Amino acid sequence: MSTQAVGYFGEFGGQYVPETLMPALEELTREFEAVRNDPEFQNELQALRQSYSGRPTPLYFAERLTQYAGGASIYLKREDLNHTGSHKINNTLGQILLAIRMGKRRIIAETGAGQHGVATATVCARFGLECHVYMGEEDTRRQALNVFRMELLGAKVHPVASGTRTLKDATNEAIRDWVTNIESTHYIIGSVVGPHPYPTMVREFQAVIGREAREQILEISGRLPDAVVACVGGGSNAMGIFHPFIDDREVALYGVEAAGEGVDTPRHAAALTLGRIGVLHGAKSYLLHDEDGQILPAHSISAGLDYPGVGPEHSYLKETGRAQYVPMTDREALDAFVKLSQLEGIIPALESAHAVAYGIKLARELGPKAQIIINISGRGDKDVAEAAELLEKGGFQL
Amino acid sequence: MSRIADTFKRLRAEKRTALIPYITAGDPSLAATEAIVPALVSGGADLIEIGIPYSDPLADGPTIQLAAQRALEAGTTIAKVHESVKQMRTQGVEVPLLYLVYYNCIFRQGEERFVADAAAAGIDGLIVPDLPLEASESLRQKAKDAGLDLIYLLAPTSTPERIKRTTEQASGFIYCVSLTGVTGVRTHISTALEPFLSRVRKVTDIPLAVGFGISTPDQAAQVAGVADGVIVGSALINTIHENASSPEAAAEVAYSFMASFRQGIDRGTLTTVATND
């Protein structure tokens, strides 16, 4: 895909960061470009994907979910079967190899639900690097199990008490750490957000999802899918599965945002559906902010989607019309969380449940001749305690 | 020539170093800000940075983060800050005033509108800590057309190539970040500062003001020996926050704080040989 200026997707992206970071971003861009087509690096990464993370992940025909929806054939891309339980490790494996190449011995990361924090702590343990994870205080409480997992893996978890005490503030704090320790430290951003080259680099490391899915669906069915559906917080699992289908114009791409309590309430995280263009964490993109540019708090039952911004390439795909973005509420996601568990024996992450919710709807609309792929970006073990509480509160009958 | 450039020219002729305090507008109220600014001038400030409070100030340490939070909780908006600046000008504040403002605040309002409103309020320059050279062309042009200086920042990590390109676009002064890190009180001045400043001096004679981490009159004196301007923010905000219960009390505390830095700086400048060639 063409980008108009280096580091931009149309008008989105760029590098809006303090001067102190600019030389580090220049270095990172150079190193990333160098490894992008370096067979030795790619082979090493590929070997780790296979032997360490368990790739390729299956593309699974969800027979009972398909029957339930009563429309298109539904295939699930099983990113939940990755080591550490989500797609996040695709990115952290790539970035840790890059960090080692640059001679950085100290790794920092931000995390919301803890999935990216765990994936980062995991690769740091595997390669013996020092690891610091910033996590909103509110999220350390909601995801105490993941805090323990990170600590068990040898990482230091820093609770962040500023601002809304969630992912946005954890990201601010990670950037502040990076500005301070720039010489020794590589910052592994967990999504397709942040200043260039992160949105492109993270997409490239995640594009393995879409490359596999494209090959697998061709092998299984002999043709491309009619649609690909993925949830979007920052948007890395979605960019990863979308990217290899971008030039297949007949494949519709749907990104599913968190509508929280509803897009007609202030409690949602639907930056693409309801946001305005702005600048957050180094990139220009759609964003929830007020008329003075003050960032508004986001809300979603899923901590991984609880973010007021979105990756700049998604803004570009929205603007060009190549992808559609739709909001699903907390309640719709919870319903899909239960449905997938009971119909397929697969407990999805609450993030991924948003994609399942829209996928069911879309399958009905498209009818039985169509076929769609839903990306199951992570497994739901981390969410069961919270889900139990929410289901009871919401009056769901299991 | 801009009011900022004029000020540095005059100070250079007098062999003095500029004292540049930073405060967050609206912390704890805009009435306090309006009282503090004239007191800073009386205490010896040559230029003043007024921070527009922002929800996500990623270049700032805890002191300025909390100041911004207090200001936003008190209902501070950009429009009200402009009004306060107008008020200060009416009351006779004549030193150059600059906004320290994160880019999203400017972008959301629109560069053109923001610059026009700032100029109309009586602002002389903009410091935008998350807008590097590469993304600054359009704002720099609009600021220039409105008679404002866009102040660029350089850091100890800036490469010679970036230093050169930045100095070519700079006007007013260059904000040299004394260390790799965020704003906030530090116990000593980085040893990397002097070599960093000489790298910049080699390619430009635009005034260099140093900020981040300067917390005591002694540190200010030390920096005054090598820089054209000394910026002090977090230490001032802490002092005001801890000691002031009313706008009048805040003004009094701000005045004594500034006067002690003025003495420090004048001491530092006098003991220095010219560093500008």
Short mmCIF file of all heavy atoms in Angstrom, two decimals, chain B residues 66-117:
data_model
loop_
_atom_site.label_atom_id
_atom_site.label_comp_id
_atom_site.label_asym_id
_atom_site.label_seq_id
_atom_site.Cartn_x
_atom_site.Cartn_y
_atom_site.Cartn_z
N LEU B 66 0.57 16.72 37.86
CA LEU B 66 -0.42 17.02 38.91
C LEU B 66 -0.93 18.45 38.80
O LEU B 66 -2.11 18.70 39.03
CB LEU B 66 0.19 16.76 40.30
CG LEU B 66 0.39 15.28 40.63
CD1 LEU B 66 1.17 15.12 41.93
CD2 LEU B 66 -0.95 14.55 40.73
N ALA B 67 -0.03 19.36 38.42
CA ALA B 67 -0.46 20.75 38.25
C ALA B 67 -1.52 20.83 37.15
O ALA B 67 -2.53 21.53 37.29
CB ALA B 67 0.74 21.63 37.90
N ALA B 68 -1.29 20.10 36.06
CA ALA B 68 -2.25 20.10 34.95
C ALA B 68 -3.58 19.50 35.39
O ALA B 68 -4.66 20.01 35.06
CB ALA B 68 -1.69 19.33 33.76
N GLN B 69 -3.48 18.43 36.15
CA GLN B 69 -4.70 17.79 36.64
C GLN B 69 -5.51 18.75 37.52
O GLN B 69 -6.72 18.87 37.37
CB GLN B 69 -4.31 16.55 37.44
CG GLN B 69 -5.32 15.43 37.41
CD GLN B 69 -4.71 14.13 37.97
OE1 GLN B 69 -3.63 13.70 37.58
NE2 GLN B 69 -5.40 13.53 38.92
N ARG B 70 -4.80 19.46 38.43
CA ARG B 70 -5.50 20.43 39.30
C ARG B 70 -6.16 21.52 38.46
O ARG B 70 -7.30 21.92 38.69
CB ARG B 70 -4.50 21.08 40.28
CG ARG B 70 -3.99 20.16 41.37
CD ARG B 70 -3.25 20.93 42.46
NE ARG B 70 -2.02 21.57 42.01
CZ ARG B 70 -0.80 21.02 42.09
NH1 ARG B 70 -0.65 19.80 42.60
NH2 ARG B 70 0.26 21.66 41.68
N ALA B 71 -5.42 21.98 37.44
CA ALA B 71 -5.94 23.07 36.60
C ALA B 71 -7.17 22.62 35.83
O ALA B 71 -8.16 23.36 35.73
CB ALA B 71 -4.86 23.55 35.64
N LEU B 72 -7.13 21.40 35.30
CA LEU B 72 -8.28 20.91 34.52
C LEU B 72 -9.48 20.68 35.43
O LEU B 72 -10.62 20.98 35.07
CB LEU B 72 -7.91 19.63 33.76
CG LEU B 72 -6.92 19.83 32.59
CD1 LEU B 72 -6.48 18.49 32.02
CD2 LEU B 72 -7.55 20.69 31.50
N GLU B 73 -9.20 20.14 36.63
CA GLU B 73 -10.29 19.93 37.58
C GLU B 73 -10.93 21.25 37.98
O GLU B 73 -12.12 21.31 38.30
CB GLU B 73 -9.80 19.17 38.81
CG GLU B 73 -9.75 17.66 38.57
CD GLU B 73 -8.89 16.91 39.58
OE1 GLU B 73 -8.50 17.50 40.62
OE2 GLU B 73 -8.58 15.73 39.31
N ALA B 74 -10.15 22.33 37.96
CA ALA B 74 -10.69 23.64 38.31
C ALA B 74 -11.44 24.28 37.13
O ALA B 74 -11.90 25.41 37.21
CB ALA B 74 -9.56 24.57 38.77
N GLY B 75 -11.53 23.54 36.01
CA GLY B 75 -12.32 24.05 34.89
C GLY B 75 -11.57 24.92 33.89
O GLY B 75 -12.18 25.66 33.13
N THR B 76 -10.24 24.84 33.90
CA THR B 76 -9.45 25.65 32.97
C THR B 76 -9.66 25.18 31.53
O THR B 76 -9.58 23.99 31.25
CB THR B 76 -7.95 25.54 33.32
OG1 THR B 76 -7.78 25.83 34.70
CG2 THR B 76 -7.12 26.50 32.48
N THR B 77 -9.95 26.13 30.65
CA THR B 77 -10.05 25.82 29.21
C THR B 77 -9.09 26.73 28.46
O THR B 77 -8.61 27.74 29.00
CB THR B 77 -11.47 26.08 28.68
OG1 THR B 77 -11.75 27.48 28.83
CG2 THR B 77 -12.52 25.26 29.42
N ILE B 78 -8.86 26.41 27.20
CA ILE B 78 -7.94 27.22 26.39
C ILE B 78 -8.49 28.65 26.26
O ILE B 78 -7.75 29.63 26.40
CB ILE B 78 -7.73 26.57 25.01
CG1 ILE B 78 -7.01 25.22 25.17
CG2 ILE B 78 -6.93 27.50 24.09
CD1 ILE B 78 -6.89 24.41 23.89
N ALA B 79 -9.79 28.76 26.02
CA ALA B 79 -10.40 30.10 25.87
C ALA B 79 -10.20 30.94 27.13
O ALA B 79 -9.88 32.13 27.07
CB ALA B 79 -11.88 29.96 25.55
N LYS B 80 -10.33 30.29 28.31
CA LYS B 80 -10.16 31.04 29.56
C LYS B 80 -8.70 31.44 29.78
O LYS B 80 -8.42 32.49 30.36
CB LYS B 80 -10.65 30.19 30.75
CG LYS B 80 -12.16 30.05 30.81
CD LYS B 80 -12.56 29.23 32.04
CE LYS B 80 -14.03 28.91 32.02
NZ LYS B 80 -14.36 27.88 33.04
N VAL B 81 -7.77 30.59 29.31
CA VAL B 81 -6.35 30.95 29.45
C VAL B 81 -6.04 32.18 28.58
O VAL B 81 -5.37 33.12 29.02
CB VAL B 81 -5.43 29.77 29.07
CG1 VAL B 81 -3.95 30.19 29.13
CG2 VAL B 81 -5.66 28.57 29.99
N HIS B 82 -6.57 32.19 27.35
CA HIS B 82 -6.38 33.37 26.49
C HIS B 82 -6.90 34.63 27.21
O HIS B 82 -6.26 35.69 27.19
CB HIS B 82 -7.14 33.23 25.17
CG HIS B 82 -6.62 32.17 24.24
ND1 HIS B 82 -5.28 31.89 24.09
CD2 HIS B 82 -7.27 31.34 23.37
CE1 HIS B 82 -5.13 30.92 23.17
NE2 HIS B 82 -6.33 30.58 22.73
N GLU B 83 -8.07 34.50 27.82
CA GLU B 83 -8.66 35.65 28.53
C GLU B 83 -7.74 36.14 29.65
O GLU B 83 -7.55 37.35 29.84
CB GLU B 83 -10.02 35.27 29.13
CG GLU B 83 -11.16 35.28 28.12
CD GLU B 83 -11.24 36.60 27.35
OE1 GLU B 83 -11.22 37.67 27.99
OE2 GLU B 83 -11.28 36.55 26.10
N SER B 84 -7.16 35.19 30.38
CA SER B 84 -6.25 35.55 31.47
C SER B 84 -5.03 36.29 30.95
O SER B 84 -4.55 37.24 31.57
CB SER B 84 -5.78 34.29 32.21
OG SER B 84 -6.66 33.99 33.24
N VAL B 85 -4.50 35.81 29.82
CA VAL B 85 -3.32 36.46 29.26
C VAL B 85 -3.65 37.90 28.87
O VAL B 85 -2.89 38.83 29.15
CB VAL B 85 -2.78 35.66 28.05
CG1 VAL B 85 -1.70 36.45 27.32
CG2 VAL B 85 -2.23 34.32 28.53
N LYS B 86 -4.82 38.07 28.25
CA LYS B 86 -5.27 39.42 27.90
C LYS B 86 -5.30 40.32 29.13
O LYS B 86 -4.85 41.47 29.11
CB LYS B 86 -6.70 39.34 27.33
CG LYS B 86 -6.74 39.50 25.83
CD LYS B 86 -8.18 39.46 25.32
CE LYS B 86 -8.18 38.70 23.99
NZ LYS B 86 -9.51 38.27 23.59
N GLN B 87 -5.84 39.76 30.20
CA GLN B 87 -5.94 40.45 31.47
C GLN B 87 -4.56 40.90 31.97
O GLN B 87 -4.36 42.04 32.39
CB GLN B 87 -6.59 39.49 32.48
CG GLN B 87 -7.08 40.10 33.75
CD GLN B 87 -8.20 41.09 33.47
OE1 GLN B 87 -8.95 40.96 32.50
NE2 GLN B 87 -8.27 42.13 34.30
N MET B 88 -3.59 39.98 31.88
CA MET B 88 -2.22 40.31 32.33
C MET B 88 -1.65 41.45 31.51
O MET B 88 -1.01 42.35 32.03
CB MET B 88 -1.31 39.09 32.16
CG MET B 88 -1.63 37.93 33.07
SD MET B 88 -0.69 36.48 32.47
CE MET B 88 -1.70 35.17 33.14
N ARG B 89 -1.86 41.39 30.21
CA ARG B 89 -1.34 42.46 29.33
C ARG B 89 -1.98 43.79 29.70
O ARG B 89 -1.30 44.82 29.76
CB ARG B 89 -1.62 42.12 27.86
CG ARG B 89 -0.77 40.98 27.28
CD ARG B 89 0.71 41.25 27.41
NE ARG B 89 1.52 40.32 26.63
CZ ARG B 89 2.81 40.13 26.83
NH1 ARG B 89 3.46 40.80 27.79
NH2 ARG B 89 3.49 39.29 26.09
N THR B 90 -3.28 43.77 29.95
CA THR B 90 -3.98 45.01 30.32
C THR B 90 -3.40 45.57 31.61
O THR B 90 -3.31 46.78 31.80
CB THR B 90 -5.48 44.73 30.54
OG1 THR B 90 -5.93 43.92 29.47
CG2 THR B 90 -6.28 46.00 30.60
N GLN B 91 -3.02 44.65 32.50
CA GLN B 91 -2.50 45.10 33.80
C GLN B 91 -1.02 45.46 33.74
O GLN B 91 -0.39 45.69 34.77
CB GLN B 91 -2.74 44.03 34.86
CG GLN B 91 -4.21 43.98 35.26
CD GLN B 91 -4.54 42.80 36.14
OE1 GLN B 91 -3.69 41.95 36.38
NE2 GLN B 91 -5.76 42.74 36.62
N GLY B 92 -0.45 45.47 32.54
CA GLY B 92 0.89 46.01 32.40
C GLY B 92 2.03 45.02 32.36
O GLY B 92 3.20 45.41 32.46
N VAL B 93 1.75 43.73 32.21
CA VAL B 93 2.85 42.76 32.03
C VAL B 93 3.41 42.94 30.63
O VAL B 93 2.68 42.81 29.64
CB VAL B 93 2.35 41.31 32.24
CG1 VAL B 93 3.42 40.32 31.84
CG2 VAL B 93 1.92 41.10 33.69
N GLU B 94 4.71 43.25 30.54
CA GLU B 94 5.28 43.55 29.22
C GLU B 94 6.31 42.56 28.74
O GLU B 94 6.73 42.61 27.59
CB GLU B 94 5.89 44.96 29.24
CG GLU B 94 4.79 46.00 29.20
CD GLU B 94 5.31 47.43 29.31
OE1 GLU B 94 6.52 47.60 29.54
OE2 GLU B 94 4.48 48.35 29.17
N VAL B 95 6.74 41.66 29.62
CA VAL B 95 7.77 40.69 29.20
C VAL B 95 7.17 39.73 28.17
O VAL B 95 5.96 39.55 28.12
CB VAL B 95 8.32 39.87 30.40
CG1 VAL B 95 8.96 40.78 31.42
CG2 VAL B 95 7.23 39.01 31.02
N PRO B 96 8.03 39.08 27.36
CA PRO B 96 7.50 38.08 26.42
C PRO B 96 6.82 36.94 27.16
O PRO B 96 7.33 36.44 28.16
CB PRO B 96 8.76 37.57 25.71
CG PRO B 96 9.77 38.65 25.87
CD PRO B 96 9.48 39.28 27.19
N LEU B 97 5.65 36.55 26.66
CA LEU B 97 4.91 35.42 27.23
C LEU B 97 4.82 34.33 26.18
O LEU B 97 4.55 34.60 25.01
CB LEU B 97 3.50 35.86 27.63
CG LEU B 97 3.39 36.96 28.68
CD1 LEU B 97 1.92 37.37 28.88
CD2 LEU B 97 3.99 36.51 30.02
N LEU B 98 5.08 33.09 26.62
CA LEU B 98 5.00 31.96 25.70
C LEU B 98 4.03 30.92 26.24
O LEU B 98 3.92 30.75 27.45
CB LEU B 98 6.38 31.30 25.54
CG LEU B 98 7.51 32.16 24.98
CD1 LEU B 98 8.37 32.69 26.11
CD2 LEU B 98 8.36 31.33 24.02
N TYR B 99 3.37 30.23 25.31
CA TYR B 99 2.59 29.07 25.72
C TYR B 99 3.45 27.81 25.58
O TYR B 99 4.11 27.63 24.56
CB TYR B 99 1.36 28.88 24.82
CG TYR B 99 0.17 29.72 25.16
CD1 TYR B 99 -0.72 30.10 24.16
CD2 TYR B 99 -0.09 30.13 26.46
CE1 TYR B 99 -1.84 30.87 24.44
CE2 TYR B 99 -1.21 30.90 26.75
CZ TYR B 99 -2.07 31.27 25.74
OH TYR B 99 -3.19 32.03 26.01
N LEU B 100 3.41 26.98 26.62
CA LEU B 100 3.90 25.62 26.50
C LEU B 100 2.64 24.78 26.30
O LEU B 100 1.80 24.70 27.19
CB LEU B 100 4.66 25.23 27.78
CG LEU B 100 5.39 23.89 27.91
CD1 LEU B 100 4.52 22.68 27.66
CD2 LEU B 100 6.62 23.83 27.05
N VAL B 101 2.49 24.21 25.11
CA VAL B 101 1.20 23.57 24.79
C VAL B 101 1.45 22.31 23.97
O VAL B 101 2.25 22.31 23.04
CB VAL B 101 0.29 24.59 24.05
CG1 VAL B 101 1.00 25.24 22.87
CG2 VAL B 101 -1.01 23.96 23.58
N TYR B 102 0.78 21.23 24.36
CA TYR B 102 0.90 19.98 23.61
C TYR B 102 0.13 20.08 22.30
O TYR B 102 -0.88 20.80 22.20
CB TYR B 102 0.40 18.80 24.46
CG TYR B 102 1.43 18.41 25.50
CD1 TYR B 102 1.50 19.06 26.73
CD2 TYR B 102 2.37 17.44 25.22
CE1 TYR B 102 2.47 18.74 27.67
CE2 TYR B 102 3.35 17.10 26.15
CZ TYR B 102 3.39 17.74 27.37
OH TYR B 102 4.36 17.43 28.28
N TYR B 103 0.63 19.35 21.30
CA TYR B 103 0.14 19.57 19.94
C TYR B 103 -1.34 19.27 19.77
O TYR B 103 -2.02 19.92 19.00
CB TYR B 103 0.98 18.77 18.93
CG TYR B 103 0.58 19.09 17.51
CD1 TYR B 103 0.68 20.40 17.03
CD2 TYR B 103 0.05 18.13 16.66
CE1 TYR B 103 0.28 20.74 15.75
CE2 TYR B 103 -0.36 18.46 15.38
CZ TYR B 103 -0.24 19.76 14.93
OH TYR B 103 -0.65 20.10 13.66
N ASN B 104 -1.86 18.27 20.50
CA ASN B 104 -3.26 17.93 20.27
C ASN B 104 -4.21 19.09 20.58
O ASN B 104 -5.25 19.23 19.95
CB ASN B 104 -3.68 16.69 21.06
CG ASN B 104 -4.97 16.10 20.53
OD1 ASN B 104 -5.13 15.91 19.32
ND2 ASN B 104 -5.93 15.84 21.42
N CYS B 105 -3.84 19.91 21.57
CA CYS B 105 -4.68 21.08 21.90
C CYS B 105 -4.73 22.04 20.71
O CYS B 105 -5.77 22.62 20.41
CB CYS B 105 -4.13 21.80 23.13
SG CYS B 105 -4.11 20.78 24.61
N ILE B 106 -3.59 22.22 20.06
CA ILE B 106 -3.53 23.11 18.90
C ILE B 106 -4.27 22.49 17.73
O ILE B 106 -5.09 23.12 17.07
CB ILE B 106 -2.06 23.38 18.49
CG1 ILE B 106 -1.29 24.06 19.64
CG2 ILE B 106 -1.99 24.19 17.21
CD1 ILE B 106 0.19 24.24 19.35
N PHE B 107 -3.99 21.20 17.51
CA PHE B 107 -4.54 20.52 16.34
C PHE B 107 -6.07 20.48 16.38
O PHE B 107 -6.74 20.73 15.39
CB PHE B 107 -3.97 19.10 16.24
CG PHE B 107 -4.49 18.34 15.07
CD1 PHE B 107 -3.95 18.55 13.81
CD2 PHE B 107 -5.54 17.45 15.21
CE1 PHE B 107 -4.45 17.86 12.70
CE2 PHE B 107 -6.04 16.77 14.11
CZ PHE B 107 -5.49 16.97 12.85
N ARG B 108 -6.60 20.18 17.56
CA ARG B 108 -8.05 20.04 17.68
C ARG B 108 -8.76 21.37 17.42
O ARG B 108 -9.80 21.44 16.79
CB ARG B 108 -8.45 19.48 19.04
CG ARG B 108 -9.94 19.32 19.26
CD ARG B 108 -10.55 18.31 18.28
NE ARG B 108 -11.99 18.42 18.20
CZ ARG B 108 -12.84 17.63 18.85
NH1 ARG B 108 -12.39 16.66 19.62
NH2 ARG B 108 -14.13 17.79 18.71
N GLN B 109 -8.13 22.47 17.92
CA GLN B 109 -8.75 23.78 17.66
C GLN B 109 -8.51 24.25 16.24
O GLN B 109 -9.24 25.11 15.74
CB GLN B 109 -8.16 24.81 18.63
CG GLN B 109 -8.54 24.54 20.08
CD GLN B 109 -8.80 25.82 20.83
OE1 GLN B 109 -8.14 26.83 20.61
NE2 GLN B 109 -9.77 25.79 21.73
N GLY B 110 -7.51 23.67 15.61
CA GLY B 110 -7.09 24.14 14.29
C GLY B 110 -5.90 25.08 14.48
O GLY B 110 -5.97 26.02 15.29
N GLU B 111 -4.82 24.83 13.75
CA GLU B 111 -3.60 25.63 13.93
C GLU B 111 -3.89 27.12 13.75
O GLU B 111 -3.43 27.96 14.52
CB GLU B 111 -2.53 25.17 12.93
CG GLU B 111 -1.95 23.80 13.23
CD GLU B 111 -0.85 23.40 12.25
OE1 GLU B 111 -0.72 24.06 11.19
OE2 GLU B 111 -0.12 22.44 12.56
N GLU B 112 -4.68 27.41 12.71
CA GLU B 112 -4.91 28.81 12.37
C GLU B 112 -5.64 29.55 13.50
O GLU B 112 -5.24 30.63 13.91
CB GLU B 112 -5.73 28.86 11.09
CG GLU B 112 -5.59 30.18 10.39
CD GLU B 112 -5.85 30.02 8.90
OE1 GLU B 112 -5.63 28.91 8.36
OE2 GLU B 112 -6.29 31.02 8.31
N ARG B 113 -6.70 28.91 13.97
CA ARG B 113 -7.49 29.54 15.04
C ARG B 113 -6.66 29.68 16.30
O ARG B 113 -6.66 30.72 16.96
CB ARG B 113 -8.73 28.70 15.31
CG ARG B 113 -9.50 29.17 16.51
CD ARG B 113 -10.70 28.30 16.82
NE ARG B 113 -11.10 28.48 18.21
CZ ARG B 113 -11.85 27.62 18.87
NH1 ARG B 113 -12.27 26.50 18.29
NH2 ARG B 113 -12.17 27.85 20.13
N PHE B 114 -5.92 28.60 16.67
CA PHE B 114 -5.16 28.65 17.90
C PHE B 114 -4.13 29.79 17.86
O PHE B 114 -3.99 30.57 18.81
CB PHE B 114 -4.46 27.31 18.17
CG PHE B 114 -3.74 27.30 19.49
CD1 PHE B 114 -4.40 26.89 20.64
CD2 PHE B 114 -2.42 27.74 19.60
CE1 PHE B 114 -3.76 26.91 21.87
CE2 PHE B 114 -1.78 27.78 20.82
CZ PHE B 114 -2.45 27.36 21.97
N VAL B 115 -3.41 29.85 16.75
CA VAL B 115 -2.37 30.87 16.62
C VAL B 115 -2.98 32.27 16.67
O VAL B 115 -2.47 33.17 17.35
CB VAL B 115 -1.57 30.64 15.31
CG1 VAL B 115 -0.75 31.87 14.95
CG2 VAL B 115 -0.67 29.41 15.44
N ALA B 116 -4.09 32.46 15.95
CA ALA B 116 -4.73 33.78 15.92
C ALA B 116 -5.18 34.19 17.32
O ALA B 116 -4.96 35.33 17.75
CB ALA B 116 -5.92 33.75 14.96
N ASP B 117 -5.82 33.27 18.04
CA ASP B 117 -6.30 33.59 19.38
C ASP B 117 -5.14 33.87 20.34
O ASP B 117 -5.22 34.77 21.18
CB ASP B 117 -7.14 32.42 19.94
CG ASP B 117 -8.48 32.30 19.23
OD1 ASP B 117 -8.79 33.17 18.39
OD2 ASP B 117 -9.20 31.31 19.49
#
